[in-house]
């Protein structure tokens, strides 16, 4: 019987107006589904008119201008609903979902759902839980002493995965999926006996430990930056008094 990393996987990625999950918006998103290595992936794409200004710094990353999004993007409310529905389909199929740096993309989606649908991402997984595989968390745990950055571009270079059109949501999602397959093969002795559900639970623990380590490093460096230990979704911030 094939191991999970040789079986069906899906992957999700977004491009956004910035890096603040509480205030920034999704401008494009993609879901990639692949039945196994070598199978042609099925790709869903969404382009969103966020209804807010798109900073030039964000456009410089993903190439999507405010004018282009206003002309070609859809309103957020129906898009966020469609994305959540398709992610729920992956959960019902028990198909693991690869999300690079999951707390960023999934929390952004949750906040967009709250903003435009008066709902939350968790509501879509009441019938079946989402099983997330985060290549960033997996790589940092399985090869913790390797030096260097661990962006998607870095992981692709390290694991021999081709990344064309970086910062295109579909390209990034497919690359992250292939990184997880490559990572699974490289660390097969440590991963092949674990189910995706077991890995999901373990990654929450691993990410929390990684966050504590990074927080301690920030403290030693004199930085006041906060590191959230929650994974794969950050809790909603309490409303201001």
């Amino acid at each position: 019987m094939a191991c999970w990393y040789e079986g069906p996987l899906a992957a999700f990625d977004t491009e956004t107006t910035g890096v603040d999950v509480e205030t920034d918006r999704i401008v494009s998103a993609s879901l990639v589904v692949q039945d196994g290595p070598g199978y042609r992936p099925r790709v869903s794409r969404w382009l969103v008119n966020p209804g807010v200004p798109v900073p030039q710094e964000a456009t410089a990353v993903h190439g999507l201008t405010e004018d282009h999004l206003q002309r070609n993007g859809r309103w957020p409310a129906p898009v966020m609903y469609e994305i959540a529905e398709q992610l729920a389909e992956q959960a019902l199929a028990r198909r693991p979902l690869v999300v690079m740096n999951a707390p960023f993309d999934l929390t952004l989606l949750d906040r967009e759902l709250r903003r435009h649908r008066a709902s939350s991402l968790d509501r879509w997984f009441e019938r079946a839980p989402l099983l997330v595989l985060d290549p960033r968390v997996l790589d940092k745990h399985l090869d913790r002493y390797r030096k260097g950055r661990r962006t998607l571009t870095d992981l692709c270079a390290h694991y021999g995965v081709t990344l064309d059109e970086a910062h295109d949501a579909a390209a990034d999602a497919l690359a992250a999926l292939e990184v997880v397959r490559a990572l699974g093969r490289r660390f097969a002795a440590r991963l092949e006996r674990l189910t995706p559900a077991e890995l999901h639970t373990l990654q929450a623990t691993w990410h929390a430990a990684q966050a504590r380590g990074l927080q301690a490093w920030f403290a030693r460096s004199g930085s006041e930056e906060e590191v959230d230990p929650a994974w794969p979704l950050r809790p909603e911030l309490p409303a201001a008094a």
Side-chain angles (χ1 to χ4, degrees), residues 24-230:
D24 280 305
R25 311 297 176 89
I26 293 173
V27 296
S28 71
S30 184
L31 176 69
V32 174
V33 180
Q34 188 184 44
D35 293 328
Y39 283 79
R40 184 171 182 174
R42 302 186 295 279
V43 181
S44 299
R45 302 172 186 264
W46 295 270
L47 192 67
V48 186
N49 177 357
V52 300
V54 180
Q56 291 183 353
E57 296 85 354
T59 297
V61 173
H62 50 58
L64 298 171
T65 65
E66 187 172 334
D67 179 68
H68 178 76
L69 293 168
Q70 288 177 349
R71 291 174 181 271
N72 301 285
R74 297 169 57 201
W75 289 113
V79 171
M80 301 311 152
Y81 179 86
E82 291 172 14
I83 294 173
E85 283 285 293
Q86 289 210 27
L87 296 190
E89 289 178 13
Q90 308 313 309
L92 284 169
R94 305 297 288 173
R95 189 178 293 118
L97 182 71
V98 175
V99 189
M100 175 72 183
N101 192 16
F104 179 78
D105 294 84
L106 295 183
T107 303
L108 260 170
L109 176 58
D110 175 78
R111 301 313 190 251
E112 290 278 51
L113 287 166
R114 293 175 188 272
R115 185 177 294 122
H116 298 290
R117 305 292 309 191
S119 186
S120 67
L121 186 57
D122 286 338
R123 188 182 77 77
W124 268 266
F125 305 110
E126 292 173 349
R127 289 186 295 168
L130 191 62
L131 303 176
V132 177
L133 298 171
D134 188 333
R136 186 169 181 267
V137 174
L138 291 169
D139 176 70
K140 288 181 73 174
H141 177 78
L142 294 165
D143 198 0
R144 67 182 68 185
Y145 300 113
R146 187 178 82 251
K147 295 184 178 181
R149 290 158 48 87
R150 299 182 193 241
T151 65
L152 179 59
T153 300
D154 298 316
L155 295 187
C156 286
H158 183 71
Y159 288 102
V161 172
T162 300
L163 174 57
D164 295 321
E165 300 181 65
H167 298 295
D168 170 83
D172 285 357
L174 181 58
L177 186 152
E178 294 295 347
V179 165
V180 165
R181 292 200 190 281
L183 193 151
R185 294 176 190 126
R186 183 169 299 187
F187 296 99
R190 299 168 64 181
L191 295 175
E192 61 186 358
R193 295 183 182 179
L194 295 170
T195 67
E198 290 170 331
L199 266 177
H200 180 100
T201 300
L202 286 169
Q203 285 170 101
T205 301
W206 296 342
H207 178 269
Q210 292 162 8
R212 289 193 298 271
L214 183 57
Q215 190 71 73
W217 185 85
F218 281 144
R220 292 193 299 270
S221 303
S223 171
E224 296 182 357
E225 185 172 348
E226 295 288 333
V227 184
D228 196 320

